[in-house]
Amino acid sequence: MRKSTSRSKVRVATAAGLTTGAVAAALLVAPAAASAATTVYPPVVAVGDLVTITDTEVSFSSGTNGTASRAVILTSPGTTTPVCSATYPTTSTTIVAAEQTAGSISTSKTVTFKVPTAAVAGTNGLAKRYVACFYAPTGSTAREGNQNGYPFYVGTAPTLNPTFGLTGTANTVTLTAATNVFTGVTALGAQYTTEPCPAAYGTPAAGTTGTPTRTGDASATVTVPATLTSTSGNTRYNLCVYNGTLAASTLVTIGSYAVTQLVLSQGTGPWQGGNSLDITSPNQVLAGIDSPGVNLTAAACPAKYESTDTVGTSLVADVRKISNSRFAFTVPALRSSAPAAPPTAQPVWNVCLYGGTDDGASDLVANIPYTITTLHTATEVAPKAGPALGGSKIVVSGTAFPTDGTLTATLGGMALTGVKVLSPTAFEAITPAHAPGNNMALTVTTAAGTFLLTNAYSFTSALIVDPNTAPNTRTVNVVIKGVGFQSANFNAAGTALTLTGSHFYLVEGVYAGNEGDAASGVRANPPVAECRNVLVLKDTEAICSLNLARRLDAEGVDYLVPAAPAEAGTIGTPAVTTIGSTVTSRVIRSSAALFTRDHEGLTIYEATPTNFAPGTRIVDVISPTVAVISAPAQATGTGITLALLPPTARTVTVTTGNASTALGAPAVDTFLTSDDERYIVGPNIALGIKLNSITDGDTAVLSAVSGGTGSTASANLLSMNVPVPEGAYNMTYVSNGALNASSTDPNYVQSTVSSTSTFAVSSF
């Protein structure tokens, strides 16, 4: 409501030699001392809405509807006193009867009426002045209240943001209207007053003007001078906006701005209550008050404390005085109708602070508006998990989500981005980067408060790798994205392989670091390779070197080194003829438990190729007795004798001697220094023989005598390493590679398998 100075006090001020401008200035200093007898609310009203007139110095006929004081609207009020006729007038085009409906009730000091359709707004919704006159509903139909009536304005009421400010504090208010009230207006004037707005700008009192800026046809900003003060709890000013600052500049629109001594920690909250309000003041409003009382009411604060908790009034049970300028309490449930019903009729309540809790005796100290609404809920997040790197879209289901862009949310304490409310029951957002963890809480915050959904989401440590494919013939640098790399304990570049510390492992399937066999020291599903020499670029990105030409052994503490090639079976074992093949099939079988993971990637060798084409490899081991080969078998056989060899490093032409360890080469520089200790396979050279003592690149010494007659033929120099077999793997981060770390390390973290962590190893 806005307040006007009582007529008697204006007369006293004028008699004392004060002008009305001086009275207005006095109001700025102590508006409560000059509090008005008459209030009009709202200051600007639309056709068909209700206007409430309160005059504490008169008595209206009370009742409901037909028994209440009758109201007429003067559409062209004059200035000759009295403006209102002495008795109920005959209605006409300029004297219009106001409609009184259910809810427009008169009391002895208040009349509420509905604005008739004849009282139209000005062009583009400009505020247009009318006067309401009241008359007794029966008997003499005599005039009631002020003989000059009660002015009010019909037009577009602007929305103010904020609607109130702290006493003695400069501020800026944004006005937004539903119609283009500022169309054609190039300059604006503004003044604040506890009186009804003057029809023209006039000469405002010092300290009452604001600086307006037109920002559009329907919007403007207006400064609030620090000279607007309140010595009471809450003083309401009319913000009067004009089409200039000349004395004759006419009124455009009116807003309602309150100046308060209190500051709320939360200006809006749920009508269900349960939230805490922390209230402060620049003044010591609680000085001398040990046990303050607080009421929350949908109406104006009563002058005295009321101990009755009724519809529209809720009592605060436990007010905590923190200091003379600060207090706090838990908001009770607020209702404006039936119990536990949302307050749809009255969203703005008042927090009323009293000097005690004596019913009907404790005085009002201060008050401030408090907006209530329905608290939203959040019921589900879909999907319920995603990568710790963030960037995943989620949809949150719930109720009462506002669509005005004010909703914010956090997941695991980190802010969601890209929040977009799809409807009152759903919004979408993008997840933040977060350390891996399960059952993270979601908090959704709106003007109504904050709602917490526990066990809402899990951040999985999935990685993103680039590139995600490479040949098994070389080392490739891989960029890995994830979370928490800066706190990881990667081994220094160039150090020996070790299990402790953090690692990027290439794993077939899901890494299992627990002991596969009791006391074996072998992990259940160890890595096939490690991406080493890690360089952390930032907490979410690192680069490492992945050598696919060298495969890790079963323990993962060293590289797999090929032993002496031997026929029929595992590397370095005596010859056993147990292999069976089926023509056109890529499956081979062994009658003994022969195959292990170490055989994957090895080449099948037959002295005389019969059952398998040269270069055929084992690509997968299904079980100790079943393996898959890279090309179909050429024949069906049983008891096949074969060897499993490392890949060929290169082919050379050599000359063997008869039962000699000497090995020659017809071409210059056939042998390299790096060939020393390589196994060689070829005519007249038995399996398991190495090159030794390379001289001048033309001759070498075999580790054992060759057999057969001397000859010149092609021979294969085998790789000294076993490469990672071709196939699909997963890049996996583990915070601790030690055996059984997942159960012994309380801070253990392992990334999950995802489409972004897949890495393909090829032979090209």
Side-chain angles (χ1 to χ4, degrees), residues 148-513:
N148 292 321
Y150 300 88
F152 68 96
Y153 289 89
V154 177
T156 299
T159 299
L160 270 62
N161 185 26
T163 58
F164 61 91
L166 189 62
T167 180
T169 303
N171 203 356
T172 299
V173 176
T174 299
L175 285 75
T176 305
T179 59
N180 294 331
V181 294
F182 300 119
T183 296
V185 179
T186 57
L188 295 175
Q191 58 179 291
Y192 295 85
T193 176
T194 54
E195 295 282 326
C197 288
Y201 187 73
T203 305
T208 66
T209 59
T211 303
T213 301
R214 182 184 183 276
T215 57
D217 287 342
S219 60
T221 60
V222 182
T223 59
V224 180
T227 47
L228 290 192
T229 59
S230 174
T231 56
S232 65
N234 184 16
T235 301
R236 189 170 295 278
Y237 288 85
N238 288 318
L239 170 53
C240 316
V241 182
Y242 298 85
N243 63 358
T245 55
L246 299 176
S249 297
T250 56
L251 188 67
V252 175
T253 190
I254 306 171
S256 182
Y257 183 80
V259 176
T260 178
Q261 291 201 54
L262 303 180
V263 179
L264 297 178
S265 59
Q266 179 182 338
T268 302
W271 67 268
Q272 299 94 329
N275 57 304
S276 298
L277 283 184
D278 183 6
I279 304 178
T280 57
S281 174
N283 301 316
Q284 296 191 18
V285 293
L286 294 177
I289 301 174
D290 294 328
S291 301
V294 173
N295 281 355
L296 282 85
T297 175
C301 292
K304 302 290 184 180
Y305 182 80
E306 296 180 358
S307 61
T308 305
D309 192 354
T310 61
V311 170
T313 300
S314 293
L315 305 184
V316 175
D318 186 15
V319 182
R320 310 291 182 90
K321 177 183 175 181
I322 302 171
S323 68
N324 286 340
S325 58
R326 183 182 178 191
F327 63 100
F329 58 86
T330 299
V331 179
L334 309 175
R335 55 192 178 91
S336 60
S337 55
T344 54
Q346 179 53 275
V348 179
W349 286 42
N350 285 298
V351 177
C352 313
L353 173 66
Y354 294 89
T357 56
D358 293 333
D359 189 21
S362 296
D363 292 323
L364 179 67
V365 175
N367 64 288
I368 188 172
Y370 175 66
T371 302
I372 56 177
T373 185
T374 299
L375 181 65
H376 55 277
T377 65
T379 57
E380 185 181 11
V381 178
K384 291 184 69 63
L389 188 61
S392 299
K393 180 182 286 188
I394 59 172
V395 175
V396 179
S397 301
T399 62
F401 295 145
T403 57
D404 58 1
T406 59
L407 183 147
T408 60
T410 64
L411 198 54
M414 307 295 289
L416 293 174
T417 59
V419 175
K420 180 181 180 182
V421 178
L422 306 175
S423 72
T425 60
F427 71 86
E428 65 180 22
I430 303 300
T431 59
H434 192 287
N438 296 323
N439 302 322
M440 297 293 173
L442 169 76
T443 61
V444 182
T445 302
T446 69
T450 297
F451 184 89
L452 175 67
L453 177 64
T454 59
N455 302 327
Y457 191 82
S458 295
F459 286 98
T460 59
S461 184
L463 305 179
I464 299 176
V465 296
D466 182 31
N468 61 0
T469 184
N472 59 3
T473 57
R474 60 183 177 86
T475 299
V476 61
N477 287 322
V478 181
V479 176
I480 301 178
K481 294 183 178 180
V483 173
F485 295 158
Q486 287 180 333
S487 58
N489 183 28
F490 295 107
N491 294 318
T495 58
L497 287 170
T498 179
L499 297 186
T500 58
S502 304
H503 302 268
F504 288 126
Y505 283 146
L506 195 66
V507 184
E508 185 176 12
V510 179
Y511 171 79

Side-chain angles (χ1 to χ4, degrees), residues 653-670:
T653 301
V654 297
T655 301
T656 60
N658 185 16
S660 171
T661 60
L663 186 67
V668 177
D669 295 334
T670 297

Side-chain angles (χ1 to χ4, degrees), residues 6-18:
S6 72
R7 292 180 293 276
S8 60
K9 290 175 181 175
V10 171
R11 288 194 295 270
V12 171
T14 305
L18 296 175

